[in-house]
Every structure is written in C-alpha cells, then in structure tokens.
Amino acid sequence: MTPVADLTARVGEIVLPNPVLAASGTFGFGPEYQSFVEMSRLGGIAVKGVAVEPWPGNPPPRVWETPSGLLNSIGLQNPGVEAFIRDDLPFLRALGVVLVVNVIGHTVDEYRRVSERLARESGIAALEVNISCPNIKEGGMQFGHDPERAFEVVRAVVETAGRPVWVKLSPNTDRVLEVGEAARSAGAAALSAINTLVGMAIDLDLRRPALGGGSGGLSGPAIRPVGVRVVYEVSRRIGLPVVGMGGIETARDALEYLMAGASAVMVGTATFGRPDAMTRVIDELPDALRQYGFASVAEAVGAAHPRGRTLEGAPDEY
Amino acid sequence: MTPVADLTARVGEIVLPNPVLAASGTFGFGPEYQSFVEMSRLGGIAVKGVAVEPWPGNPPPRVWETPSGLLNSIGLQNPGVEAFIRDDLPFLRALGVVLVVNVIGHTVDEYRRVSERLARESGIAALEVNISCPNIKEGGMQFGHDPERAFEVVRAVVETAGRPVWVKLSPNTDRVLEVGEAARSAGAAALSAINTLVGMAIDLDLRRPALGGGSGGLSGPAIRPVGVRVVYEVSRRIGLPVVGMGGIETARDALEYLMAGASAVMVGTATFGRPDAMTRVIDELPDALRQYGFASVAEAVGAAHPRGRTLEGAPDEY
Amino acid sequence: MRAVRLTIVERRAPAPEHVELMVDAKDLAGRLVPGQFLHVAAGGTLRRPLSVSRVEGARLGMLFRVVGAGTAWLAERDVGETVDVMGPLGQGYPPPPPGPLALVGGGVGIPPLFFYAQRWPDAALSVLLGARDHDSLIMVDDFRGLGLRPGLCTDDGSRGKRGRVTGLLRDWFLEHPDGSVMACGPAPMLHEVARLTAAAGRPAWLGFEQRMGCGVGACLACVVPGAPGGDRVWYRVCTDGPVFARETLYGEGRP
Amino acid sequence: MRAVRLTIVERRAPAPEHVELMVDAKDLAGRLVPGQFLHVAAGGTLRRPLSVSRVEGARLGMLFRVVGAGTAWLAERDVGETVDVMGPLGQGYPPPPPGPLALVGGGVGIPPLFFYAQRWPDAALSVLLGARDHDSLIMVDDFRGLGLRPGLCTDDGSRGKRGRVTGLLRDWFLEHPDGSVMACGPAPMLHEVARLTAAAGRPAWLGFEQRMGCGVGACLACVVPGAPGGDRVWYRVCTDGPVFARETLYGEGRP
Ligand SMILES: Cc1cc2nc3c(=O)[nH]c(=O)nc-3n(C[C@H](O)[C@H](O)[C@H](O)COP(=O)(O)OP(=O)(O)OC[C@H]3O[C@@H](n4cnc5c(N)ncnc54)[C@H](O)[C@@H]3O)c2cc1C
Ligand SMILES: Cc1cc2nc3c(=O)[nH]c(=O)nc-3n(C[C@H](O)[C@H](O)[C@H](O)COP(=O)(O)OP(=O)(O)OC[C@H]3O[C@@H](n4cnc5c(N)ncnc54)[C@H](O)[C@@H]3O)c2cc1C
Ligand SMILES: Cc1cc2nc3c(=O)[nH]c(=O)nc-3n(C[C@H](O)[C@H](O)[C@H](O)COP(=O)(O)O)c2cc1C
Ligand SMILES: Cc1cc2nc3c(=O)[nH]c(=O)nc-3n(C[C@H](O)[C@H](O)[C@H](O)COP(=O)(O)O)c2cc1C
Ligand code: FES
Ligand code: FES
C-alpha cells in the first residue's frame, strides 16, 4: 500500500484534519446540508456572516448564473448574533468540526460588539472578519478597500475576540496588499481570500439589472484566476497564513491554491452544484498530491512560489 | 418584410455603421485575420497598443485557458509608433474601417509622444489610451488606479491628439468612477471598459505560475459580469459615452452591454475561438434587437438604466 | 433527502417546447408530497428546481418547458442516461380540506397540480388551467385521464376561453362559495388568487417559483416576502415553500 | 486559409491515449505543406493547434495524444460529426535538400514528419523516432508501410534503444556527415538537435510548439525567442513557424 498523504493543514495555531472548509454564506449555519454531506469529515465550516442585529438582506432575485460563475446579491441577510448563539451555535458546537464565524457590521463598533458577544461563547475556533461589505456610515466606502479603516475594524475585533481572527479580503481593489498588511499589523492571525468580485447581469426581458440588489458578487470557477493571483501575492508579501478560495471545484483546483500559497482552502459555489463537492475534494486530494509529487498538504503550500525571487522582480503584467 | 433594425452607433462625434469593434490586442494590426473575417463589415478596429519605442513583451507562455476565460501575459509587445505608421497604418487606412489606435506608455511623456506622432497621420478616428498598463517610473503603480495620474496622462494625450480620445478603464480598482471622472475632466471623448482582470494560474507540473510573466490579464465570458457592472456604473455616473467589452460572444451579450449603457462594444477573446465572432454578432444583432423590442441600437443604449433613480439609492451590494 | 442519480426510463414530448422525463426512483417516489420539487443538475453551475409532475409506481416525472440553457440541456437527455437530482425538497400541498377544492394552474405551474390530482383521487376537485397559448396549456389530457374536466383558458384565446385562469376562479367561487384552492403558477397569477380567495374568505395554498442557489435553505437566495407585519421578512421558497398557506405571505386581511 | 467544418470519416486509436481523426478535406488536402498545422475548435475558449499527420487523397489526418480537456473533447468525436478547423496555418518544412536527410521526431512531434515522408517518397530519408515509453512511440508501422526502417528509442527502454532520440542522431551523423535534419518534438529535444546540427555544420529545420491564442499572428501569444543579436526578439510559432530554420532561433554560430 502506498503511504497515505498527510492532509493535516495548519492555519496559524489552528490545526485542521484536512484543508477543506465550507465558505461563508454558502453553507448556511450548518444543518441545512447535513443530509447531503458527511459533516464530520470537513476540515471546517465558516458560517454565514453574523451582525449585531438582524439584517434583512436584498430583494430577490438574489442569484443569477453566468458563464462558469454565479452572481449573488443576498445582502448579508442574517438573524443577528443573539439568534445565532441561541438557534445555531448549539448544533454547530455539537458537530465537533472547526468552526469559523464570519462577522459583519456597518461600523467599527458593530463589528466589535459581535466579537465581544461571541467571546463569551465556546466552540468557535476563529472569527473571520468580512471587510468587503458596505460601510454605510462612510458613504458606501468599503472597509476592505481602505487600509486605515481595515486596520481599525480588525483591531477592534482582535481586541475583543479572545481567539484567532482571520480577515477576509476583497479582490475589488488595487490595494489588497496594503489592506492585508493593515490586517496583519492590527493583529490578524490569518487572511482569507477572496470574497466575490462585484458584477452585474442585465435581464434583457425586464430591461433592468437581473438581481434585485442591482449589482452582486461573482463567485465560481470564473473567478479562480483572480483568487489564485491574490493568494499568491498576499501569501508572499504578508507574513500571515492565507485561506484561499474562489472557484474551487476539484482537488486539482484546491492544489492550485495550496501551491499558490494557501494554507487551507474554502469551497463555496461548487457546493450548490454538488452538495458533496467538499468531501469529493477531500477524497481526491491524496491522489492529486501524489500525482504532483507531494507527500503532504504542508509540502504543497507555497510550492509555486519562486525561491528567493520577489514579485517586484517579476516582469510587467501584460 | 419587417423593417431592418438600425445598427448605426455613435460614440461621441464618431458614427459607426454598427456597434461592433475589434478589441485592442486581439486583432493584431489588421491583416492577420483578413482571410477569416469580412473586414469591411466591422464597426471598427482597435489595434494593438502602440508605444513610442518597440516593447519586447513578456516571456512565454503568454496565454493559458481558464474556465470560460483566458489569461494572457503578452506584455504589450509592439513595434513602436514609427514602425506602426510605416508598416501597418497604410493597410488599415485602405480598409476604410473606423480605426482606433490603442496607446501605451511608461510615463506621461511617452503617451504624449505617441499621440503627437500619430497627430501627423490621417485615417485614425480616435486614440484609445490604455491606462491599465504598468507605470514603471511610478514603481508599479498604475495610471488606471490613480485619478490624478490618470488625469495627467489623459490631458497630455488630449492636448496633442487632434482627434477624439477614448480612455480604457481598468476594472482592478475600487476607484473606477474617480478615474473615469478624471478622464472626463481631462477632456476624454469616451471611455472604454473593461480591460482585463489581473489573474494567475499555476502550472501544477512545473510548480510555478503558468504564464511566463507570472500574473496576467483575464478576459472572456468569465469576466462579462464585471464588465457589465463597470459599464453600467460608469455610463450612469460619468457624462461620457462608453464602449463596452469583456466576454462578448453573441448578439445577446452585445445587447446586454448596450442596455447596460454602452454606446458600442468590442469583441476580443471570442475571435480566437471563432474568427468570425464579430460578423456573427453583427448578423444576429437585428434579430436580437427585435426580440427584445428595440428598433435600433440607439434605442437599446442604456435601456436597463433606472429612470430617475441613481446608484446611490440602490441597496447594498450583497 | 439526498442526491441521487436517477435513470431516465422514458422521454415524452407532450407539447412543443415541453419535455417530460420519467425516471426510475424507487426510494423517492413513495415519499413524495405533491408540490415538492427536485433540484436537478443541468450542465451549469447551479441546479434547476423542477416539480414532480406525476408518480407511476416506482417512476416519477418531471415536466418542463425549455426556456434556457439548463432546460435545453435536460431536454437533450436520452432514455438510459441518468439525471442527478437532490430531493424530495420543500413543503408540498396539504391533503384536501373538506368541501370543494379548485386546483388552479398556470403554465409550468400545472405539473405539481396534476400530481396532486393523481394523489387524491377521491377529493372533490375542480381543475382550472391557464396558459399563454395553446401549446403551453399542458397536461389537459392527463387530467381527463383521471376523469376530471379541466376548465381551460389562454391569454390569446387559442384554446379554451380567452383570458386569465383567475377569471375562471372568480366564476368558480360563485358556484362554490365554500371552496378552497391549491394554486401554482407565475407570481402575478398567485397574487390574484390570493386576492380572490381572501375576498371570499376561503383558504388557499400557493406554489411559488424563485431563483435558487442551494435548494436546501443554506444560501438565502430564493426568498419571497412575508406578510407585512408578519413573523418574518422573508420566506425561503426551497424549504419554507414552495407551497405556502396564503396567510404566510399575504397576512390575515385582504391583500 | 479559412475556417471550415470538416466531416470525420474515420477515427483511429493507434496507441493508448492517442487518437487519429481522418477528415474529409478536399479543398485543404492538396494545398498542405508538411509541418503546417490546423487550429481546431475543441470545446473551450481557445482552439488547439494540431499538425497534419497524413494526407490520403481528399482526406487528412490529425493524430494527437489526449493530454487535457481539449484533446479529450476531440477524442470523443465520432465518425459523421464535424470538426471546426482553421488552416492550413504556418510555415512547413522545405523540400528535401540534396544529400541524406534525417527526420527526427519526438512524441507527438512525429505526425508532421510522417506526413513529410509521405509527401517526399523519393528523398533519401532516415527516420529517427523517440518517445518516453512504448505506447508513446507512435506511427512506427506507418513509416514501415512507406518502406522506411525507423530507428527507435524510448526513455525507459520499453521499445528500441533506451535513451533520447538525439543519441540516435549523433550516431547518424557519424555515418552521414553531409546529412540534413528535419525535427519536431519537445523544446529540449529541439535544443539538442540544434546543438548537434550546428556542431556538424549541417542545416536543420525545427518544428516548435507553443501555447497559442489566435493562430494567425494577431495576438503575439505563441512566441519563441529569436537568436540573440538576430533580427527579432521573438518569432511567432503560428505564422513565422512552427517550422524554423535553425539559424533563425539559434543564430549562425554553435549554440
Ligand atoms: C419550486 C419550483 C418548481 C418548478 N417546477 C417547474 C416545473 O415543474 N416545470 C417547469 O417547466 N419549470 C419549473 N420551474 C421553473 C424552472 O425551475 C425554470 O424554468 C428553470 O430553472 C429554467 O432553467 P434554464 O436554465 O432553462 O433557464 P435560464 O433562464 O437560462 O436559467 C437561468 C437561471 O435562472 C433560474 N430560473 C429561470 N427561470 C426560473 C423560474 N421560473 N423559477 C426559478 N428559477 C428560474 C434557473 O434555475 C437558472 O439558475 C420550477 C421552479 C421552482 C422554483
Ligand atoms: C504547431 C503545433 C502542432 C501540434 N501538433 C500536435 C499533434 O500533431 N499532435 C498532438 O498530440 N499534439 C500536437 N500539438 C500539441 C497540442 O496542441 C496540445 O497537446 C493540445 O493543445 C493540448 O490541448 P488540451 O486541451 O488537451 O490540453 P490542456 O493542457 O488542457 O490545454 C490547455 C491549453 O494549453 C495549450 N497547450 C497544452 N499543451 C500544449 C502544447 N504542447 N503545445 C501547444 N499548446 C499546448 C492548449 O492548446 C490549451 O490552450 C501541437 C502544438 C503545436 C503548437
Ligand atoms: C450565496 C453566497 C453568499 C455569500 N455570503 C458570504 C458571507 O456572508 N460572508 C462572506 O464573507 N462571504 C460570503 N460569500 C463569499 C464566499 O464565502 C466566497 O468568498 C466566494 O463565493 C468565493 O468562493 P467560491 O467561488 O468557492 O464560491 C458568499 C458567496 C455566495 C455565493
Ligand atoms: C491577448 C490579448 C491582448 C490584449 N492586448 C491589449 C492591448 O494591447 N491594449 C488594450 O488596451 N487591451 C488589450 N487587451 C484587452 C482587450 O482589448 C479587452 O479589453 C479584454 O480582452 C476584454 O474583452 P474580451 O473578453 O472580449 O477579450 C488584450 C486582451 C487579450 C486577450
Ligand atoms: S435556494 Fe438556497 S436558501 Fe433557498
Ligand atoms: S497564436 Fe496569436 S500570434 Fe501566434
């Protein structure tokens, strides 16, 4: 028998049985998929974004299919942190799977209050600060596009969380490295990337944007090259582990992210098409690792990084 | 016989027989595709970016296929403006098709010199200023991500061009509206959008980025939602006509851009798969217009814009 | 509730642009409630929700109109191939309440109502069907095969009365003031059914469509608004529906 | 040069993971120069470049190894279906120069050389073929069918000599110091052929592969570096090649 590849993944101090987590917003609060997925086999679960109060979200339609992709405009509908703790956390805790709670807010204070409230609860491995949601107080400017605002919000969460804080990066900016650096200096334990790309489709019949919310977030295989690029850059330039995502459907796709520098990966949109997408990736990962000459997940992480050459030295983009 | 839909398109003062142009960099300098495409039927041609001196471009591989998309890292290889005028312009002029010359440079001065030199030549309808290429003097910062630098470069070209100047926007920034506004105030006659998204793929066998240049530009249907979103926003918020592109393959796709606010469209990557992609779009456009109730291209432009509602009033993104 | 590959045992073309796939589904068929749906892989990123149109022993049917890429892909499947479905999903229609019951179907909302009629042969059913044109008025002969005589109408008058199916319902209530309604069809039709049944003070269950992501309640894509002032801002079509009691979405009063 | 749909008239499976599609191509077949290629639609965003492997009357062949999504898609095409090709594209090999001539092929570089041998039956040809293993050493019997006796080698020794085809070429030059070479194969093999032929002071033409966009010279994707100090920094494989005289890419001296 050939030796089984070691799938253990490490994101800072958090150890995962395998590197495959459910991406926030695509796996609900856990129970929804339980009859389709062997939950206990997952590397971890990032639940839907949780705010200090319930958010209503956007008008439907909220999803629209695009070539190799999906536009969504859920609008971060969520029941608020109290309802989450009361209704959802007990189930999640009982699963015994690494649990990451995605945190959203309109203001620094709202983020802080979610984090403070969750600090009193056990069974949460890490918080994932979603800084790509609209910051309404700042006139639509987004935390994830402004290093100084990102620093503030991450520091507020780090100060109160009492557990590792991951920061989820927006790809819709030219300042992703500055924002990542701000998150690091504010005390983040890891970065996750990428959130969706802002996109839009037109409903030709109705002569208006197809999504009720107007524009929406583009996910799925279409955005994989953008995700791989961000993970590659961020993992080389910021001294933090990175959780990579965007368009992962297969073990090969996961391996691409690992080699680009991700310490673990998340699977989102693919679960809609195949509810067992995550466990398939986990099942196929040992063979994929072997095929490309890796004995473990750890060996693959960053394997595509140049040895000693930095991105500055790379040629012009195109 | 049903009346034939009027395909005439207007981009500022420029009138096109139909709204379909070849996108810069995908159609060479004209002659390459002539045995595959009825050149005289095109709405126009935007030729490959031209610099003041020859540029060598990036090491191969320079293209890599991704889900519904294409990564390229050509590196703006071009023969320089003198060789362009000597070797390529006579052929293009003789075609009698609306000709748009894409202009590139490392510095404001380089852009200006290309524009000055082209000002002495006839047969060019407009310049398209590509401000998404790396600005090496500024340490990798891109003109297209910085409204002030964009203003400078566009003004330099407008001052010297002696013809309408289009400015090609980068989607890789959260400041696309600011950059568009800067281009307008610097005297641009139109905006074109979008250039490619920065992406990367990993060659799993070689354990390095697949493209010789490291990262590259993502084009094709995968990015269409991003292009439509940028065109929708820019055409509503900046008082300039917009030439839309990104992933157009069919007349329906072209119509989506028109309804999002584009006055004309460009087709790039689709030509690689189907050399007659542009003339197919032109052939199918009358039926597509009729199907969705438009008597002309002009009627469709901006048809998906809300009447009287601005984007500020739109709900959160997702 | 799980994802399974079901073998196509028959492919019917009941009307132009409509296909019905009959699949072998031993484990599923017996457990289905009319109005429940299957989430069907159809070649793209997302699955497509399709109601069950009928159950015949261990076989079940999915009858759909070809409207886009996904249904076109499904329409090309042949006998012997498999389809990948998740299900049964969602909340179906309740058993017939006492008294007369109208099944009110519009277009591709008709199939789950046929399954209902098939499941409850002894109910006092009236069937009212509407569609845009002759070719879209599906399953008429299927209902007749059950001994029912559906009232018919089309927008363009090419079959049955000219007009909307809600016109037939208005007339029906004149004769059956104590009637109840199970309806399925496009949202404007359901709004009108809600208005009519509320005005008559009679119960109604309404089967809604909405664009879906997951199909299992996780992504919050498929929402429809709850009644103003009601318990919830939104209900999910995939798990709270697709069939809703009228009150849930329109409240207790007259909409 | 244009885009045409060609009907598949025969589908061969000459070796594991290799397929040869024979297509009906009246207009094209007569005009083809060995070494030219076709740009073939293969289900994805980009076309796939494939050399012509042979011409038989009005039919031409494309023999490819299944390595990824595009070749897998092509491998599933059946007789009677059409393939959408652009061509003939690029510069092929020149006619045989005077004196002995070696055709040196590696792996999927072998097909265009077979077409060459077929086109020039009266040339004084030696054929040297290499591949990684037995199953990849394709078209040996085809060459034998022309009355040629190819020298064979594989990386793992599973067929012919163990070693690289450039080893065979070195030996060949000992017996044919006045020989010329037409080669096609992976870049490292071509580099070594360039080195050996330059060292021998003998002419060579080399058929290169590069990832392509347009296939017609417009996108500048498919470049290979020109000789240092030569006329051009890059040459396009699609239009300047795929076949290059050695000097173009390696200069006049010994690389
Ligand atoms: C609970 C439920 C049951 C349904 N049952 C049936 C049925 O029995 N027969 C039938 O013909 N149709 C039914 N529909 C509608 C059917 O799902 C759509 O016609 C189908 O998804 C269209 O897919 P497409 O790819 O062909 O069209 P496209 O328009 O190309 O689809 C694009 C996207 O929009 C979604 N979409 C498009 N139209 C609808 C719609 N009306 N409702 C929901 N999503 C839509 C698709 O699922 C896909 O994600 C049902 C819908 C729901 C919600
Ligand atoms: C001029 C020329 C002639 C060729 N002739 C033959 C032939 O006769 N038989 C044969 O088996 N192969 C030939 N090749 C190689 C063949 O083009 C590739 O094997 C094929 O494109 C792989 O496509 P894929 O989708 O299966 O693989 P993937 O690896 O999935 O393809 C991904 C992308 O990379 C490109 N690509 C991958 N490998 C190569 C390669 N070696 N060269 C160029 N592009 C590549 C593909 O075209 C595609 O765009 C030739 C290549 C060139 C340039
Ligand atoms: C329907 C949907 C809802 C999402 N909701 C959230 C969210 O609440 N918080 C968040 O950080 N990301 C959210 N995302 C983004 C995903 O977590 C992920 O970053 C993105 O979809 C890219 O991964 P994928 O291509 O595998 O889906 C959502 C994505 C989708 C498709
Ligand atoms: C191979 C290639 C080369 C390109 N070169 C240029 C260029 O020189 N200048 C420019 O402004 N855009 C260039 N582009 C971008 C295209 O003009 C276009 O903006 C982009 O590809 C999106 O359109 P598409 O999806 O239809 O290809 C290039 C794109 C490709 C694929
Ligand atoms: S489709 Fe995901 S919640 Fe209904
Ligand atoms: S493939 Fe486009 S120039 Fe060669």
Side-chain angles (χ1 to χ4, degrees):
Chain A
M1 230 188 83
T2 41
V4 175
D6 179 4
L7 294 190
T8 311
R10 282 179 187 74
V11 182
E13 61 193 50
I14 299 173
V15 179
L16 308 167
N18 65 66
V20 183
L21 296 91
S24 173
T26 63
F27 208 66
F29 289 118
E32 297 87 351
Y33 268 110
Q34 64 179 315
S35 48
F36 297 95
V37 183
E38 291 175 75
M39 310 285 283
S40 64
R41 298 195 50 220
L42 301 180
I45 297 176
V47 293
K48 179 83 195 148
V50 176
V52 67
E53 301 283 352
W55 287 14
N58 285 339
R62 289 178 169 185
V63 287
W64 194 267
E65 195 170 315
T66 68
S68 299
L70 172 66
L71 279 170
N72 89 78
S73 153
I74 307 298
L76 294 169
Q77 176 182 338
N78 80 96
V81 67
E82 287 303 337
F84 166 72
I85 288 168
R86 185 184 63 233
D87 302 336
D88 305 302
L89 191 54
F91 172 88
L92 288 160
R93 222 183 249 134
L95 282 179
V97 165
V98 170
L99 174 63
V100 180
V101 178
N102 189 269
V103 176
I104 56 176
H106 298 103
T107 62
V108 172
D109 188 56
E110 286 186 14
Y111 281 97
R112 184 200 307 273
R113 282 160 62 200
V114 177
S115 167
E116 267 169 8
R117 180 64 191 85
L118 291 172
R120 311 212 300 267
E121 303 296 326
S122 67
I124 299 171
L127 302 188
E128 183 184 46
V129 188
N130 179 355
I131 53 168
S132 357
C133 67
N135 166 12
I136 287 166
K137 278 259 175 81
E138 297 293 313
M141 176 57 171
Q142 299 185 320
F143 288 108
H145 298 170
D146 180 338
E148 286 169 38
R149 305 285 292 133
F151 179 89
E152 284 179 50
V153 76
V154 175
R155 196 178 46 184
V157 175
V158 167
E159 281 170 0
T160 46
R163 46 175 66 98
V165 172
W166 301 0
V167 176
K168 187 153 175 186
L169 300 175
S170 162
N172 301 292
T173 174
D174 47 296
R175 288 169 290 189
V176 68
L177 289 174
E178 291 89 327
V179 172
E181 181 54 36
R184 194 196 57 71
S185 58
L191 302 172
S192 58
I194 56 175
N195 213 316
T196 52
L197 292 167
V198 185
M200 179 184 280
I202 305 296
D203 187 322
L204 301 188
D205 290 304
L206 302 184
R207 298 192 181 187
R208 48 152 287 141
L211 295 172
S215 57
L218 182 64
S219 61
I223 71 166
R224 199 164 65 231
V226 178
V228 169
R229 186 259 304 173
V230 171
V231 166
Y232 183 89
E233 288 184 0
V234 166
S235 63
R236 286 186 63 206
R237 303 277 285 274
I238 318 288
L240 288 180
V242 178
V243 180
M245 80 197 87
I248 295 175
E249 293 192 317
T250 67
R252 266 186 108 271
D253 302 339
L255 185 54
E256 186 176 13
Y257 271 96
L258 295 175
M259 290 173 72
S263 299
V265 299
M266 291 182 172
V267 174
T269 304
T271 297
F272 299 160
R274 292 181 163 180
D276 62 348
M278 283 181 279
T279 50
R280 277 193 200 222
V281 170
I282 296 166
D283 289 338
E284 291 166 8
L285 198 52
D287 273 355
L289 286 166
R290 221 179 346 253
Q291 182 185 346
Y292 293 100
F294 300 107
S296 66
V297 162
E299 250 184 42
V301 174
H305 287 182
R307 311 280 155 235
R309 185 163 65 89
T310 70
L311 260 194
E312 275 98 352
D316 297 348
E317 248 141 24
Y318 95 115
Chain B
M1 230 188 79
T2 40
V4 176
D6 179 2
L7 294 190
T8 310
R10 281 179 189 74
V11 182
E13 61 192 49
I14 299 173
V15 179
L16 309 168
N18 66 67
V20 183
L21 296 90
S24 174
T26 63
F27 209 65
F29 289 118
E32 297 87 351
Y33 268 111
Q34 63 180 316
S35 48
F36 297 96
V37 184
E38 291 175 75
M39 310 285 283
S40 64
R41 298 194 50 220
L42 302 180
I45 297 176
V47 294
K48 179 84 196 149
V50 176
V52 68
E53 301 283 352
W55 288 14
N58 284 339
R62 289 178 169 185
V63 288
W64 194 267
E65 196 170 317
T66 67
S68 300
L70 172 65
L71 280 169
N72 90 78
S73 153
I74 308 298
L76 294 169
Q77 176 181 338
N78 80 94
V81 66
E82 287 303 337
F84 166 71
I85 290 168
R86 185 184 63 231
D87 302 337
D88 304 303
L89 191 53
F91 172 88
L92 289 159
R93 221 183 249 135
L95 282 179
V97 166
V98 169
L99 174 62
V100 179
V101 178
N102 190 269
V103 176
I104 57 177
H106 297 104
T107 61
V108 172
D109 188 55
E110 286 186 13
Y111 281 97
R112 184 201 306 273
R113 283 159 62 201
V114 177
S115 167
E116 267 169 7
R117 181 64 191 85
L118 291 172
R120 310 210 303 266
E121 302 297 325
S122 67
I124 299 170
L127 301 189
E128 183 185 47
V129 188
N130 179 355
I131 54 168
S132 358
C133 67
N135 167 11
I136 287 167
K137 277 258 176 81
E138 296 293 311
M141 176 57 172
Q142 299 187 319
F143 288 109
H145 300 169
D146 180 339
E148 286 171 36
R149 305 284 292 134
F151 179 88
E152 284 180 51
V153 78
V154 174
R155 196 178 47 184
V157 175
V158 167
E159 281 170 1
T160 46
R163 48 175 66 97
V165 172
W166 301 0
V167 176
K168 188 154 177 186
L169 300 175
S170 163
N172 301 292
T173 174
D174 47 297
R175 289 170 289 188
V176 67
L177 289 174
E178 291 88 328
V179 172
E181 182 54 36
R184 195 196 57 71
S185 59
L191 302 172
S192 57
I194 56 174
N195 213 315
T196 53
L197 292 167
V198 184
M200 180 185 280
I202 304 295
D203 186 321
L204 302 187
D205 290 304
L206 301 183
R207 298 192 180 185
R208 48 152 287 142
L211 295 173
S215 57
L218 182 64
S219 61
I223 70 167
R224 198 164 67 232
V226 178
V228 169
R229 184 260 303 175
V230 172
V231 166
Y232 183 90
E233 289 183 359
V234 166
S235 64
R236 286 185 62 206
R237 302 277 285 276
I238 317 288
L240 287 181
V242 178
V243 180
M245 79 197 88
I248 296 175
E249 292 191 318
T250 67
R252 265 185 110 272
D253 302 338
L255 184 54
E256 185 176 15
Y257 271 95
L258 295 174
M259 289 173 70
S263 300
V265 298
M266 291 182 173
V267 174
T269 303
T271 297
F272 299 160
R274 292 180 162 181
D276 62 348
M278 284 182 277
T279 50
R280 277 193 201 222
V281 171
I282 297 166
D283 289 339
E284 291 165 8
L285 198 51
D287 273 355
L289 286 166
R290 220 176 352 250
Q291 182 185 346
Y292 294 100
F294 300 108
S296 66
V297 163
E299 251 184 40
V301 174
H305 287 182
R307 310 280 156 235
R309 184 163 66 88
T310 70
L311 260 194
E312 273 99 354
D316 297 350
E317 248 141 26
Y318 92 117
Chain C
M1 215 170 53
R2 57 207 180 88
V4 278
R5 299 202 72 93
L6 303 177
T7 304
I8 301 172
V9 290
E10 194 183 335
R11 184 184 176 285
R12 301 174 183 164
E17 291 178 30
H18 289 74
V19 170
E20 185 170 21
L21 296 178
M22 297 299 302
V23 297
D24 195 348
K26 280 179 286 304
D27 304 343
L28 271 177
R31 293 185 292 134
L32 283 164
V33 176
Q36 285 190 309
F37 71 98
L38 304 174
H39 213 27
V40 187
T45 305
L46 296 178
R47 289 167 178 262
R48 302 307 193 250
L50 291 177
S51 302
V52 173
S53 57
R54 71 179 87 225
V55 168
E56 295 174 353
R59 300 156 40 142
L60 65 83
M62 295 175 275
L63 195 170
F64 53 92
R65 184 185 183 93
V66 177
V67 298
T71 46
W73 187 91
L74 282 171
E76 281 165 24
R77 296 311 101 192
D78 266 335
V79 170
E81 291 186 68
T82 60
V83 285
D84 174 355
V85 313
M86 293 165 69
L89 299 175
Q91 312 303 323
Y93 293 94
L101 177 63
L103 303 183
V104 183
V108 294
I110 295 172
L113 298 176
F114 175 75
F115 180 25
Y116 192 91
Q118 191 191 39
R119 173 61 55 90
W120 302 104
D122 301 327
L125 295 182
S126 301
V127 180
L128 309 176
L129 305 179
R132 62 175 99 150
D133 56 23
H134 179 282
D135 290 344
S136 306
L137 199 58
I138 51 175
M139 303 197 91
V140 174
D141 290 338
D142 290 304
F143 281 105
R144 290 186 179 144
L146 295 180
L148 297 164
R149 284 175 309 158
L152 304 180
C153 65
T154 50
D155 295 356
D156 64 357
S158 54
R159 188 169 189 191
K161 280 200 174 169
R162 176 192 296 268
R164 305 276 175 182
V165 70
T166 45
L168 300 184
L169 179 62
R170 188 179 302 115
D171 298 344
W172 183 81
F173 264 125
L174 300 178
E175 288 171 43
H176 305 86
D178 57 341
S180 309
V181 174
M182 307 284 164
C184 191
M189 177 197 119
L190 297 177
H191 296 332
E192 181 63 11
V193 171
R195 212 183 55 77
L196 287 173
T197 55
R202 299 300 306 156
W205 286 265
L206 310 169
F208 274 81
E209 289 184 352
Q210 187 55 280
R211 279 159 205 269
M212 291 188 181
C214 64
V216 301
C219 72
L220 307 182
C222 63
V223 298
V224 289
D231 290 347
R232 288 160 59 181
V233 183
W234 303 109
Y235 287 86
R236 291 165 299 185
V237 167
C238 67
T239 41
D240 303 319
V243 177
F244 296 92
R246 184 191 63 237
E247 295 73 24
T248 310
L249 303 188
Y250 296 90
E252 299 296 336
R254 301 188 172 192
Chain D
M1 216 169 54
R2 60 210 179 87
V4 279
R5 300 201 71 93
L6 304 177
T7 304
I8 300 172
V9 290
E10 194 184 335
R11 184 185 176 284
R12 301 175 182 164
E17 292 179 28
H18 289 76
V19 170
E20 186 170 20
L21 296 178
M22 298 298 302
V23 297
D24 196 348
K26 279 181 285 304
D27 303 344
L28 271 177
R31 293 187 291 133
L32 284 163
V33 176
Q36 285 189 308
F37 71 98
L38 304 174
H39 212 28
V40 187
T45 306
L46 295 179
R47 289 168 178 261
R48 302 304 192 253
L50 292 177
S51 302
V52 173
S53 58
R54 72 179 87 223
V55 168
E56 294 174 353
R59 302 156 40 144
L60 65 83
M62 293 175 276
L63 195 171
F64 53 92
R65 183 183 184 96
V66 177
V67 298
T71 47
W73 187 91
L74 281 172
E76 281 165 25
R77 296 311 102 192
D78 266 336
V79 171
E81 292 186 68
T82 59
V83 284
D84 174 354
V85 311
M86 292 165 69
L89 299 175
Q91 312 303 323
Y93 292 95
L101 176 63
L103 304 183
V104 182
V108 294
I110 295 172
L113 298 177
F114 175 74
F115 180 25
Y116 192 91
Q118 192 190 38
R119 172 62 55 90
W120 302 103
D122 301 328
L125 296 183
S126 303
V127 180
L128 309 176
L129 305 179
R132 62 176 98 150
D133 56 22
H134 179 280
D135 289 346
S136 307
L137 199 59
I138 51 175
M139 302 197 90
V140 175
D141 290 338
D142 290 304
F143 281 105
R144 290 189 179 142
L146 295 181
L148 296 164
R149 284 175 308 159
L152 305 180
C153 66
T154 51
D155 294 357
D156 64 356
S158 54
R159 188 168 188 191
K161 281 202 175 168
R162 176 192 295 267
R164 306 277 176 182
V165 69
T166 44
L168 300 184
L169 179 61
R170 189 179 303 117
D171 297 345
W172 183 81
F173 264 125
L174 299 178
E175 287 172 45
H176 304 87
D178 57 341
S180 309
V181 174
M182 307 284 165
C184 191
M189 176 197 120
L190 297 176
H191 295 331
E192 180 64 10
V193 171
R195 212 184 55 76
L196 287 173
T197 54
R202 300 301 306 156
W205 286 265
L206 310 169
F208 274 81
E209 289 184 351
Q210 186 54 281
R211 281 160 203 267
M212 291 187 181
C214 65
V216 300
C219 73
L220 307 181
C222 63
V223 298
V224 289
D231 289 348
R232 289 160 58 182
V233 182
W234 304 107
Y235 287 87
R236 293 165 298 187
V237 167
C238 68
T239 41
D240 303 319
V243 177
F244 295 92
R246 185 192 62 237
E247 295 73 26
T248 310
L249 303 187
Y250 296 90
E252 299 295 335
R254 300 188 173 192

